[in-house]
Amino acid sequence: MTLLAVEALAKSFGPTKALRACTLELRAGEVHALMGENGSGKSTLVKILSGVHRPDAGRIALAGAAGAEPAPVAPRGPRAAIASGVATVFQEVQCVPAQSVLENLWLGVDGIVRRAKGSGAVPAGRRRERATEVLTRLLGACPDLDAPAGSLSLSERQAVAIGRSLLRDPRVLILDEATSALDVATRDRLFAACRELTGRGGSVLFISHRMDEVEQIADRVTVLRSGESVGTLERERADIDTLVRLMTGGEQLVARETRERAEPGAVLLAADGLDLRAGEIVGLAGLEGQGQDEYLRALRAKADAGTRVAAVARDRREESIFPPLSIRENFTAATLRRDARAGLISTGRARERFAAYRERLKIKIGRDSDPITTLSGGNQQKVVIARALAGDPQVLLLNDPTRGIDIGAKHDVYALLRDLAASGLAIVMLSTEVDEHLELMDRVLVFREGAPAAQLRRDELTRAALVTEFFGPAAEQDAESGPENTAGPQKASTARISEPAPTSFAARAARLAVERTWVVPAVLALALLIANVAAQHSFLEWHSWILTFAEVATPALAAMASTPAILGGGGGIDISIAPLFVFVSVVVEVMLLGNGIAGAAVVIPVAVLVGAAIGAVNGALVNYGRYQAVVATLCMNFILSGFALAYAPAPAAGTTGWLTSLGTTVAGIPGGLILLAVPLLAWFGLGRTPFVRTLCAVGGSETTAYTAGVNVPAVRTLGYALGGAIAGLAGLAITAQLHQAEADTGFVTPFILLAIAAVALGGTPLTGGRGSLFGSLLGAAVIFLVENLLGALHISSFWSQAVYGATLIAAVLFAARTARSGRSSR
Ligand SMILES: Nc1ncnc2c1ncn2[C@@H]1O[C@H](COP(=O)(O)OP(=O)(O)OP(=O)(O)O)[C@@H](O)[C@H]1O
């Protein structure tokens, strides 16, 4: 029975025809492999099926859940595709690094403020249990579900992304080169999960450039060439030569090397178990997380100062490419000096240099000035390799460099590496592909438990010998049962599972500071509070607390109001917050109090709603209108300032009983404290819904959130509206404090900068993704306390600006350090 049918699908990006006529039939119960050269359109097809792209022409039909005949579908976004039963694991590892493994697994399942309900929904109490089941199944053991996903290895993060798809119980699972980041044991467990899915009548669309994987798992294979499907074969007929012929339209693979290899030259790099000689290609192998990654990273530092070393990192998106730059700029990034003529960069020269590598590595591009992100994954990888080679290195360190490169191109890369080695280059290459070691390496170091445990010379290299060494001597007997059994014995198949929780006090404190962004500003605020009390004992008296809260309420609310837009990431910022609260204060003074409307039950909701509405307009302009946040909110800044000045050209005075109390005390509680508590409580309440988590996920990785089914523009717009509502409260706070509305720009402008400084001090990076309203409140408190302390010490207020500038730098440096240490624990 056909589960999914694709007919004559076409898609162009400008002049590039990514898909021309793609036809494919996915049967219930089968694993269907899709193969093709880099750039042949596989990922484009996947993105259409998963709702990321809309096709220009063609038809997709999907069978109904109850086994009904396929009916036409046109998924309008990932959420719709997932709801129809199609779940996708994309080529690039999709995780939100700052969020926990558990949050990553369930990302996108809930609505924006309501948890998923209904028959298929998993209740909150069962989510941890289901997450443990899925990850244990994929990884052999479950990592700490509360650890940030960024602290996991690449393979574990990919398992989390796969787990996210499996938790949706899909009928069609699409794996777009999802295995390329997995170690062999995890891959085999994934294959078992795929078989279980097909056994239940589902199907898997499996994309891989690895022939051994296709042979192991696929029932049928469809080949794409230049965006067209050129044939579907049963697995038995899909041998490597036939596939390559179909993929290339007739070309043969580069012949396997037969010539004798030259004797290696002098030692260029000495390290534990490795005396790397000129002309050698040394492989690093082993199960994921056995120390080979760290070993390769450390090699760079071990080279003598005079030795030219170049490296290609494993995680293309995070560590190798510069997404905003063009293909050519990505290539020249490390060797820009070579293109200088009379001190200026010559584009012609850069182009010429790139053209040579483009031909040598068969990089398929339109124009070299296009952004690198428009290239297919494999072609991006070739540009990265070209960049490393352009530095004319003596030692080349490669971390799984052929990940995502098609079979034909892979053999071109092998041929290139052999030529380079023959000309004296020394190469160390970590590879997760057994065949690659057999084909290419002069010797292979196999890693177990953090160190090289065995070395196999070229004449000893066989598939069985290598896999046996992966698992250690105890595995020998099991491995003899056959080379397919790459997962090895069960007891050895549990690769290292993430870092254990830190135990020393310092390590625990560092982890707390990374996970709870408000800890550092809280410590700073407490220290400053003590200093203030020491410098000015009257600071502790009750009446000065009332004044302090009244004074700090407006800047602290402005800081909190600025936070949600920043948290949502994507350059989100609202610099109209200060004019907005001034505008609200004008509305309160001139339009309400001035017209005799003074009841708290009217004034407070009007202030909050006006703020929320204007925040929502900002959010809509940025997220639906695609205006840059700074530009949109700057325009709003001018509009609001204009309106405020028009209605209140001079300070407009007035107050009423409850508003006066709000500036002092209400039922004995400082009014400022009440105003500050409202958004904190609202935020706490929202923290019980999916909203806060989802906003941070969008800020942490927009692509991940979007492909997991989150409505990104809606979440971000709601963030702006929430910020606007808090700015409405700030409007009330300033009116309660001053008993007047003042629209003077000299009065407003400092609030804008201070609010953003307070957000940064409060631990929310301006790139978004992590932070809290409470942190911003603390950031504002730090600024206030610095100013107050300098006043108490009779130091000019001019210095206060310099002091909190310096405090900000220290806080930002600290944040960057903790973020780095968080990353390096991966
Ligand atoms: N967003 C985009 N803008 C412009 N061109 C694009 C875009 N996405 C893909 N392309 C182009 O469409 C073609 C097909 O790319 P696609 O990523 O589908 O290839 P692929 O078969 O998945 O390759 P790989 O095996 O390297 O992942 C390529 O020429 C690529 O450069």
Side-chain angles (χ1 to χ4, degrees):
M1 178 195 136
T2 304
L3 202 52
L4 179 88
V6 167
E7 219 181 285
L9 220 53
K11 173 80 187 169
S12 295
F13 298 100
T16 309
K17 285 190 163 46
L19 274 188
R20 291 162 200 271
C22 176
T23 297
L24 181 89
E25 182 216 20
L26 209 57
R27 295 178 191 153
E30 75 168 347
V31 176
H32 194 120
L34 185 63
M35 297 191 81
E37 287 187 302
N38 294 132
S40 57
K42 302 177 298 295
S43 296
T44 305
L45 171 64
V46 167
K47 286 179 184 159
I48 291 174
L49 294 177
S50 56
V52 173
H53 291 324
R54 307 265 162 84
D56 300 334
R59 226 169 62 95
I60 306 168
L62 183 67
E69 280 298 299
V73 286
R76 297 189 145 266
R79 196 172 185 83
I82 294 167
S84 68
V86 179
T88 305
V89 183
F90 291 89
Q91 195 173 10
E92 305 294 349
V93 177
Q94 307 278 14
C95 263
V96 185
Q99 295 210 315
S100 73
V101 171
L102 188 68
E103 286 168 336
N104 266 284
L105 282 166
W106 291 103
L107 181 63
V109 165
D110 295 312
I112 295 176
V113 286
R114 287 183 37 201
R115 279 187 186 278
K117 289 214 173 87
S119 55
V122 178
R126 280 265 301 140
R127 290 190 180 181
R128 187 169 278 271
E129 212 177 300
R130 290 276 290 119
T132 308
E133 273 166 31
V134 160
L135 284 189
T136 307
R137 190 142 145 241
L138 287 172
L139 289 167
C142 187
D144 177 2
L145 290 178
D146 299 313
S151 67
L152 303 185
S153 71
L154 186 69
S155 181
E156 288 164 357
R157 274 182 283 147
Q158 182 68 314
V160 171
I162 295 170
R164 187 187 302 132
S165 289
L166 291 176
L167 283 170
R168 305 293 182 94
D169 278 333
R171 287 185 295 145
V172 175
L173 176 66
I174 303 178
L175 299 172
D176 185 0
E177 291 185 51
T179 46
S180 66
L182 298 180
D183 69 61
V184 278
T186 311
R187 188 194 65 186
D188 285 355
R189 285 187 285 259
L190 169 65
F191 286 172
C194 288
R195 278 287 159 229
E196 201 180 297
L197 176 72
T198 53
R200 282 188 273 124
S203 45
V204 177
L205 184 61
F206 180 75
I207 297 169
S208 171
H209 290 299
R210 295 184 176 180
M211 211 36 224
D212 58 336
E213 294 183 347
V214 172
E215 276 168 6
Q216 194 179 335
I217 188 78
D219 298 306
R220 294 192 301 155
V221 185
T222 290
V223 176
L224 273 188
R225 184 168 72 232
S226 306
E228 274 178 60
S229 31
V230 288
T232 297
L233 306 169
E234 296 295 328
R235 182 187 32 201
E236 305 74 58
R237 291 188 43 226
D239 59 89
I240 187 158
D241 286 330
T242 314
L243 286 173
V244 171
R245 215 170 301 119
L246 275 174
M247 286 197 286
T248 59
E251 278 176 41
Q252 297 288 327
L253 281 182
V254 173
R256 279 187 169 236
E257 184 193 31
T258 47
R259 70 189 143 118
E260 278 293 299
R261 298 202 179 186
E263 274 302 303
V267 173
L268 288 175
L269 206 164
D272 176 22
L274 173 87
D275 278 334
L276 182 68
R277 291 172 180 277
E280 262 197 311
I281 310 180
V282 178
L284 306 185
L287 289 177
E288 174 77 16
Q290 299 298 310
Q292 59 273 46
D293 219 50
E294 294 79 0
Y295 182 89
L296 187 67
R297 277 175 202 264
L299 278 185
R300 196 166 191 165
K302 292 198 169 140
D304 291 336
T307 311
R308 290 188 305 279
V309 181
V312 172
R314 186 172 184 196
D315 192 340
R316 183 167 55 234
R317 197 174 63 169
E318 292 280 326
E319 297 178 287
S320 293
I321 63 163
F322 302 103
L325 300 187
S326 71
I327 300 163
R328 191 179 61 240
E329 286 162 337
N330 265 278
F331 165 74
T332 56
T335 49
L336 206 54
R337 277 182 188 195
R338 297 189 182 188
D339 303 324
R341 274 194 187 134
L344 297 175
I345 300 299
S346 156
T347 310
R349 204 182 159 100
R351 190 161 280 155
E352 233 169 71
R353 276 202 309 128
F354 180 55
Y357 286 96
R358 186 175 161 178
E359 198 170 313
R360 203 165 168 193
L361 290 172
K362 300 195 178 141
I363 308 176
K364 279 198 194 125
I365 60 168
R367 289 168 312 177
D368 62 12
S369 53
D370 288 338
I372 186 138
T373 43
T374 60
L375 290 188
S376 71
N379 281 308
Q380 287 181 17
Q381 186 70 350
K382 290 186 198 172
V383 174
V384 172
I385 296 176
R387 177 172 69 212
L389 294 178
D392 203 10
Q394 293 166 289
V395 174
L396 185 59
L397 307 176
L398 302 167
N399 195 338
D400 225 359
T402 56
R403 190 159 84 88
I405 291 189
D406 67 56
I407 308 177
K410 212 176 257 185
H411 284 81
D412 293 335
V413 171
Y414 297 161
L416 175 75
L417 293 178
R418 275 188 222 115
D419 284 351
L420 289 167
S423 66
L425 184 71
I427 300 171
V428 181
M429 176 162 156
L430 187 158
S431 172
T432 49
E433 232 177 304
V434 171
D435 287 342
E436 201 153 82
H437 289 288
L438 305 185
E439 168 109 27
L440 194 61
M441 311 303 176
D442 291 311
R443 55 191 168 107
V444 177
L445 300 185
V446 184
F447 282 71
R448 286 195 304 270
E449 294 172 10
Q455 173 167 260
L456 295 170
R457 291 191 315 273
R458 186 158 183 80
D459 54 359
E460 299 167 325
L461 268 177
T462 62
R463 198 175 171 80
L466 199 56
V467 173
T468 303
E469 287 299 346
F470 279 10
F471 296 99
E476 265 164 40
Q477 285 177 347
D478 304 68
E480 275 164 18
S481 63
E484 263 83 75
N485 182 18
T486 45
Q490 280 308 305
K491 67 176 172 211
S493 66
T494 310
R496 178 196 63 96
I497 295 294
S498 59
E499 307 291 319
T503 47
S504 77
F505 176 75
R508 274 208 309 271
R511 183 167 170 177
L512 186 72
V514 172
E515 285 172 15
R516 303 258 181 271
T517 48
W518 50 264
V519 167
V520 174
V523 171
L524 205 56
L526 189 66
L528 281 163
L529 187 64
I530 294 168
N532 269 275
V533 173
Q536 193 183 17
H537 294 305
S538 61
F539 200 70
L540 271 186
E541 288 165 16
W542 180 238
H543 77 269
S544 62
W545 279 106
I546 296 171
L547 279 179
T548 301
F549 276 119
E551 211 173 313
V552 101
T554 308
L557 284 167
M560 287 197 263
S562 304
T563 311
I566 294 175
L567 273 183
I573 198 162
D574 187 347
I575 53 172
S576 68
I577 288 293
L580 174 54
F581 75 67
V582 169
F583 177 77
V584 169
S585 75
V586 170
V587 169
V588 171
E589 286 289 2
V590 180
M591 297 183 189
L592 299 178
L593 297 184
N595 288 312
I597 305 167
V602 177
V603 175
I604 296 175
V606 167
V608 172
L609 287 177
V610 166
I614 292 171
V617 171
N618 274 333
L621 285 174
V622 175
N623 296 298
Y624 294 99
R626 309 232 168 240
Y627 287 84
Q628 280 196 345
V630 173
V631 176
T633 57
L634 188 64
C635 295
M636 186 59 85
N637 184 324
F638 290 133
I639 292 169
L640 293 170
S641 301
F643 269 107
L645 277 168
Y647 281 101
T655 189
T656 183
W658 64 267
L659 203 52
T660 310
S661 310
L662 212 52
T664 53
T665 56
V666 179
I669 305 170
L673 182 59
I674 296 173
L675 282 167
L676 290 173
V678 172
L680 283 182
L681 288 174
W683 188 253
F684 180 75
L686 282 171
R688 314 262 121 192
T689 73
F691 174 71
V692 174
R693 248 179 305 122
T694 312
L695 184 68
C696 290
V698 166
S701 172
E702 178 179 346
T703 320
T704 304
Y706 173 66
T707 51
V710 172
N711 185 340
V712 174
V715 173
R716 284 186 170 151
T717 303
L718 206 58
Y720 276 83
L722 184 67
I726 303 172
L729 286 177
L732 286 176
I734 196 91
T735 320
Q737 188 198 350
L738 302 180
H739 299 170
Q740 66 175 31
E742 190 172 347
D744 176 11
T745 48
F747 167 75
V748 180
T749 310
F751 280 106
I752 302 175
L753 298 177
L754 285 184
I756 293 168
V759 172
L761 262 175
T764 301
L766 294 186
T767 44
R770 50 204 285 272
S772 67
L773 241 52
F774 183 50
S776 303
L777 167 66
L778 290 167
V782 166
I783 290 176
F784 173 82
L785 290 167
V786 166
E787 265 186 51
N788 203 61
L789 182 64
L790 294 178
L793 298 174
H794 306 294
I795 296 172
S796 155
S797 66
F798 296 135
W799 282 107
S800 63
Q801 308 260 350
V803 169
Y804 55 70
T807 317
L808 190 58
I809 289 176
V812 168
L813 282 178
F814 182 83
R817 257 188 74 138
T818 45
R820 228 186 357 258
S821 69
R823 268 201 303 276
S824 66
S825 71
R826 232 189 256 169

